[in-house]
Amino acid sequence: MELQPQVIFSKAGASIDTTTIMESTETLNDPVKAVVLSSSLLTERIFLYSSFLEALKARVKADLWTTSAKNLHIDQQALSSEMTVDSFPAVKPFKQFPYTYLRRLNEYVWDYRLKPPSRMGMIKEIRDRNTRFHIRTLYAPARILAALRMEQVLEDWLEEFLLTYPRSPESKLRLESNPPDVVLSTGSFRFEEPAVAAEARKLNIPTLAFITSWDNPSTKNRMVYKYDGYLVWSEIIEAGHHHFFKESRDVPVYITGAPQFDVFFQQRFYESREDFCARNQLSPDKPFILYALGSPNLFLEEASIYYLAKRVAEGELGDVQLLIRPHPLHDKGLDAGIFKQLGPRIIIQDNGQGGLSVPTRAQTEQNIHDWVNTFRHCALLVNLSSTAAIDAAIFDKPIINLDYDPEPGQSRQRLVKEINHTWTHFKPVVDSGGMLLVNDDAEMVEAVKAYLLNPGLHREERRRMAEMVCGFLDGRCGERMVDAILEFRGEEEEEEEQAFVTNELNQPDEKRMTVMTVQKKRPRIVAILPRGEAIRNFVYSGALDELSKEADLHLLSIVPNDEIWKYLTLKFEQIIPLNENEDSWIVRFIREVLDLAHGRWLWSSGAQVRWEWRDQEADTWKGWLKRTTKKLLCYPFAGRAGLELLSGIEIKASQWLRNTDEFINLFRELKPDLVFNASQVHSNVAFPAVHAAYELGIPTSTFVFSWDNLTSQGRIFPEYDFYVVWDENLRRGCWKSMAS
């Protein structure tokens, strides 16, 4: 079509040629092409039953490559014409020598360097006993390389070396014949999918990795190949991923929530208690206890299940039933016959996957119905350190977690304790207070009795636990995965900005002029936008539009790029760019000591993890010396009085050693009634302006950016006069964590 230039006048009277806007709009009609990989039913249930597939087929031209033959028969009518489902390309393993040897060496070097409790526990309890001698000979060189801090050098070299080995020629041919804009891997720690990601890398096709589960970064083998972006459940998982894979700090990481739990919020999977119980041979008028097994590859839980089942069968726990749910991937290791002898109160759930290999399994809608309604209708959950605890927490079901090895002889007792009390992913869950730990079978039975009498125990803690791990609990996480694909390719941002700019420019002149009208006795507010997410939260949401109706608004904003800055200047008449202005090293040093003292005083599980990570990041002798010095200095201030004193010193030092009067002069001219910082975290660029307001006696306020910031992001400084928070829990958190 022929484009006709048009001239539209902005609020400031500047003319804009909309031809460029129209051309940009036309390019958005071409959908993003994506290849989505899946090699496990745990991720394929995301495709089939979360909000992911609907959003994907509506907005992306996608090709799904799956290892499950069952999923190859998805009804094509349920898909769009832009989406296909194909079998996974053939993948062959690496040769044992030298490739597998080098991969093992790399894993051991990282283990000895980072010493993650989860990996080290597995080494001591399992790997050392089962590893062959010729592999164990790698331990010594691994220790030497770790001591020399050569782990990243080794892995970078190994990545390039592994890329030379053609594990999947078929995927190379497919990608070459129909190159996508992006390849999304949902199993970057598994056997099959890294082979395809490697071929994409060699063809310069961008790759995204979805971190499938909350324990992947800290428990799985190394993810040697680097990806161009990552999708994670929540902020705590993002922090863990950054810790174990430092290169991820330099690429986009998208927090999507846990999409497999979208089905928990879809009414179509809900069924009545009567129907569910009828299918599972349960009595609907009696409560049932759920025992969800973990993988039998790690622990054998049959003895404890039998102990509980026998007491249920004998009526010791009242008129209740027991439903035993096998792991969806590993349903071996349970002798069904001995449980059938206990009578009709004891039921083992059938997942319909018997006889299938792990990669070829899939979950039907009936399996999803069973999963959702099992946790909806159970009275409480008993498990051993499994993700089932999160399933139960989402539905507000009491959780009992074994803190002992249920296998006779307890050969892995120490490993159980380490998982619950030291492992990176599970310790915060235990520390949340959302579950009861029991030390033997008798305690397990007593805990069951307690929760049957009072299922409301630890309700608030369960809710916080689920939010901490999952990030979002709204049933829209699959949509966020698609949002991440589009944003990664630049489409999402272009569409969003184009819509906002077009909408603003199309407003009637009188409406745009109304924005310029200055009313008498309006408060004057300076809002600081120190990061891109703050622009998203307060500009794109319309919050600042609402504020400008009631106040004389002035903006100090970073400049993410020319397009966004152009949009901001069109939308807000009184806006000033906010540039980096580094404070004196003395001021920065005081802030670091203050942050350490705050973390040591707070000493939450998040603060402890942060402390350990910073210790490990001090990986040179100079870094270690600086870190140790700051730690020694922080201890005298690790209390309310000490924090107040050190906060005062930080404020005075910032004033005395400031290297610019820009904001002092600006605020003297504007005379604002309030200076508002739109993000208390990652906002060093805002510090000089906030300190200038403090020096001039201008009230200050900030927005606590996320629900976990008070316990995981360190000290809020400078201290503010007012804090804007999400809810009552965060308000209480502010009272607790801020010394003043």
Side-chain angles (χ1 to χ4, degrees):
M1 111 183 154
E2 184 179 355
L3 298 175
Q4 298 297 324
Q6 301 178 37
V7 176
I8 297 177
F9 285 90
S10 70
K11 292 182 296 184
S15 61
I16 299 174
D17 188 340
T18 59
T19 305
T20 303
I21 295 177
M22 295 171 69
E23 289 173 341
S24 300
T25 304
E26 283 198 333
T27 64
L28 297 178
N29 294 327
D30 297 328
V32 170
K33 293 168 58 179
V35 168
V36 183
L37 310 177
S38 179
S39 53
S40 169
L41 67 83
L42 298 180
T43 51
E44 286 175 355
R45 66 186 179 187
I46 296 173
F47 298 164
L48 297 175
Y49 310 116
S50 76
S51 59
F52 176 77
L53 192 62
E54 286 297 319
L56 190 72
K57 70 183 184 182
R59 305 167 68 190
V60 176
K61 185 175 182 180
D63 192 2
L64 273 60
W65 296 359
T66 173
T67 59
S68 175
K70 287 187 176 182
N71 285 343
L72 294 176
H73 304 296
I74 298 174
D75 184 2
Q76 188 64 35
Q77 292 182 352
L79 305 176
S80 70
S81 59
E82 303 292 342
M83 182 178 295
T84 58
V85 179
D86 294 318
S87 61
F88 206 89
V91 174
K92 60 183 179 180
F94 284 109
K95 290 182 178 179
Q96 184 78 357
F97 185 84
Y99 299 96
T100 299
Y101 280 86
L102 290 170
R103 290 168 56 221
R104 296 292 171 263
L105 175 64
N106 181 61
E107 288 162 11
Y108 300 160
V109 171
W110 280 97
D111 287 341
Y112 291 130
R113 179 69 186 90
L114 295 181
K115 293 183 171 59
S118 51
R119 298 278 299 171
M120 301 310 290
M122 294 291 285
I123 290 173
K124 288 183 291 186
E125 297 296 328
I126 298 176
R127 196 173 75 186
D128 279 348
R129 301 176 185 178
N130 300 327
T131 303
R132 295 179 180 179
F133 175 77
H134 63 280
I135 297 294
R136 295 181 67 177
T137 59
L138 298 173
Y139 289 1
R143 289 180 183 273
I144 294 171
L145 290 170
L148 295 173
R149 307 183 189 280
M150 295 290 289
E151 67 279 356
Q152 194 63 62
V153 174
L154 172 64
E155 188 162 84
D156 291 344
W157 172 84
L158 179 62
E159 178 185 26
E160 295 301 320
F161 181 63
L162 295 181
L163 285 171
T164 65
Y165 189 80
R167 288 187 63 208
S168 184
E170 182 184 348
S171 66
K172 179 183 178 181
L173 291 174
R174 289 197 202 177
L175 293 171
E176 282 181 327
S177 63
N178 187 19
D181 296 311
V182 61
V183 171
L184 171 64
S185 170
T186 63
S188 53
F189 292 94
R190 299 195 191 103
F191 167 77
E192 298 89 357
E193 296 182 38
V196 180
E199 297 300 334
R201 283 282 307 276
K202 289 187 281 187
L203 294 171
N204 293 318
I205 297 171
T207 56
L208 281 171
F210 171 55
I211 306 305
T212 315
S213 187
W214 57 321
D215 64 344
N216 284 178
S218 60
T219 64
K220 301 297 184 183
N221 289 337
R222 290 294 298 179
M223 185 170 56
V224 177
Y225 296 136
K226 299 178 181 68
Y227 292 79
D228 300 298
Y230 299 89
L231 284 65
V232 299
W233 290 8
S234 62
E235 290 187 358
I236 193 171
I237 299 175
E238 178 189 26
H241 192 68
H242 285 335
H243 173 65
F244 289 102
F245 300 94
K246 294 183 179 180
E247 75 282 351
S248 67
R249 302 173 187 176
D250 301 322
V251 299
V253 177
Y254 304 96
I255 297 175
T256 63
Q260 58 263 50
F261 295 129
D262 281 1
V263 296
F264 283 19
F265 302 90
Q266 296 181 23
Q267 294 291 327
R268 68 187 178 109
F269 292 113
Y270 288 11
E271 62 181 328
S272 69
R273 181 179 181 85
E274 290 72 19
D275 290 344
F276 171 78
C277 289
R279 286 194 302 99
N280 287 273
Q281 303 172 23
L282 293 164
S283 175
D285 57 347
K286 300 174 183 177
F288 67 88
I289 302 161
L290 173 65
Y291 194 114
L293 282 89
S295 168
N297 298 331
L298 195 56
F299 298 110
L300 297 177
E301 303 173 57
E302 186 174 288
S304 284
I305 301 174
Y306 186 80
Y307 184 93
L308 178 61
K310 189 173 181 181
R311 275 137 192 86
V312 170
E314 293 173 350
E316 181 180 332
L317 300 175
D319 196 10
V320 299
Q321 308 161 95
L322 176 65
L323 179 63
I324 304 168
R325 177 175 171 81
H327 190 282
L329 289 180
H330 310 284
D331 49 7
K332 298 178 181 179
L334 197 66
D335 185 353
I338 65 171
F339 291 98
K340 289 181 180 179
Q341 296 173 9
L342 295 176
R345 290 176 182 264
I346 313 302
I347 302 296
I348 298 178
Q349 197 171 49
D350 181 11
N351 62 19
Q353 301 289 319
L356 294 177
S357 64
V358 169
T360 60
R361 294 189 174 203
Q363 286 195 318
T364 65
E365 284 209 29
Q366 190 58 62
N367 294 135
I368 299 298
H369 274 280
D370 283 339
W371 176 35
V372 172
N373 291 284
T374 295
F375 286 90
R376 277 188 71 223
H377 295 305
C378 73
L380 58 90
L381 168 74
V382 182
N383 80 122
L384 174 51
S385 309
S386 75
T387 305
I390 307 303
D391 301 9
I394 293 173
F395 280 122
D396 188 30
K397 302 298 181 179
I399 304 158
I400 297 169
N401 191 65
L402 305 191
D403 200 21
Y404 63 97
D405 182 1
E407 186 178 4
Q410 296 190 317
S411 61
R412 294 182 177 175
Q413 175 77 352
R414 184 170 66 175
L415 181 59
V416 174
K417 296 291 186 182
E418 288 181 351
I419 292 173
N420 288 334
H421 301 284
T422 69
W423 280 28
T424 306
H425 78 285
F426 210 78
K427 181 179 184 295
V429 169
V430 171
D431 291 346
S432 72
M435 60 175 63
L436 271 180
L437 294 185
V438 293
N439 294 301
D440 54 41
D441 290 339
E443 283 192 14
M444 171 181 63
V445 170
E446 291 305 311
V448 170
K449 292 178 180 177
Y451 272 140
L452 287 173
L453 286 173
N454 187 1
L457 283 174
H458 310 124
R459 172 166 289 150
E460 186 62 25
E461 290 84 352
R462 287 194 293 273
R463 184 189 63 79
R464 287 200 299 266
M465 181 180 83
E467 290 176 346
M468 174 182 67
V469 174
C470 298
F472 298 94
L473 295 172
D474 58 2
R476 300 182 59 191
C477 300
E479 296 176 37
R480 291 189 190 90
M481 289 183 68
V482 178
D483 290 341
I485 295 172
L486 294 171
E487 185 174 345
F488 176 71
R489 295 304 299 151
E491 297 287 329
E492 182 86 332
E493 187 175 356
E494 289 179 15
E495 289 179 4
E496 197 169 48
E497 291 170 8
Q498 186 64 44
F500 271 95
V501 172
T502 302
N503 180 67
E504 181 66 24
L505 293 178
N506 287 336
Q507 295 294 324
D509 290 343
E510 61 272 15
K511 183 172 182 180
R512 292 201 300 273
M513 293 302 294
T514 301
V515 178
M516 298 177 60
T517 303
V518 179
Q519 300 176 4
K520 295 180 180 180
K521 297 182 180 179
R522 287 156 56 94
R524 182 166 294 175
I525 296 175
V526 172
I528 305 172
L529 303 175
R531 54 192 293 220
E533 290 87 345
I535 296 174
R536 177 197 66 192
N537 286 356
F538 289 92
V539 176
Y540 291 168
S541 69
L544 291 184
D545 290 336
E546 294 298 314
L547 182 61
S548 65
K549 295 176 183 178
E550 306 294 334
D552 184 5
L553 181 64
H554 297 257
L555 291 186
L556 298 175
S557 175
I558 61 165
V559 183
N561 56 51
D562 291 339
E563 288 181 296
I564 293 179
W565 183 250
K566 179 180 178 181
Y567 166 68
L568 291 174
T569 55
L570 286 171
K571 191 172 184 64
F572 302 101
E573 186 173 355
Q574 302 171 110
I575 182 168
I576 299 171
L578 186 63
N579 300 312
E580 287 282 352
N581 195 343
E582 191 173 37
D583 286 302
S584 161
W585 71 268
I586 298 175
V587 175
R588 299 198 306 273
F589 185 89
I590 293 172
R591 287 174 184 159
E592 290 174 10
V593 175
L594 176 58
D595 189 59
L596 284 171
H598 176 80
R600 192 68 202 184
W601 168 70
L602 191 62
W603 212 233
S604 62
S605 58
Q608 293 177 42
V609 170
R610 198 163 178 260
W611 185 280
E612 293 172 0
W613 288 350
R614 295 295 182 263
D615 282 347
Q616 293 172 3
E617 288 172 355
D619 54 6
T620 65
W621 71 267
K622 289 179 67 176
W624 176 87
L625 183 61
K626 289 180 180 179
R627 173 73 176 165
T628 303
T629 301
K630 293 169 187 172
K631 285 164 65 175
L632 290 173
L633 288 172
C634 87
Y635 283 102
F637 300 98
R640 284 191 177 275
L643 289 170
E644 288 185 10
L645 174 61
L646 197 54
S647 294
I649 294 173
E650 186 270 338
I651 290 170
K652 290 299 182 184
S654 299
Q655 295 172 2
W656 293 337
L657 299 175
R658 68 171 181 268
N659 52 23
T660 178
D661 290 328
E662 174 188 0
F663 299 107
I664 292 286
N665 296 331
L666 176 65
F667 293 162
R668 281 174 177 164
E669 178 184 348
L670 293 178
K671 296 181 174 59
D673 300 293
L674 178 73
V675 172
F676 172 70
N677 180 10
S679 176
Q680 105 292 350
V681 68
H682 304 312
S683 60
N684 291 7
V685 69
F687 287 175
V690 176
H691 275 295
Y694 192 98
E695 185 173 350
L696 295 174
I698 301 168
T700 58
S701 176
T702 192
F703 173 60
V704 179
F705 196 79
S706 185
W707 60 279
D708 67 340
N709 284 177
L710 297 176
T711 56
S712 67
Q713 290 295 334
R715 178 77 175 173
I716 297 178
F717 51 81
E719 293 192 3
Y720 294 81
D721 298 293
F722 305 97
Y723 296 87
V724 181
V725 297
W726 291 13
D727 57 14
E728 183 65 27
N729 289 325
L730 270 180
R731 182 167 73 163
R732 289 195 296 267
C734 270
W735 289 339
K736 178 181 178 182
S737 65
M738 297 305 295
S740 61

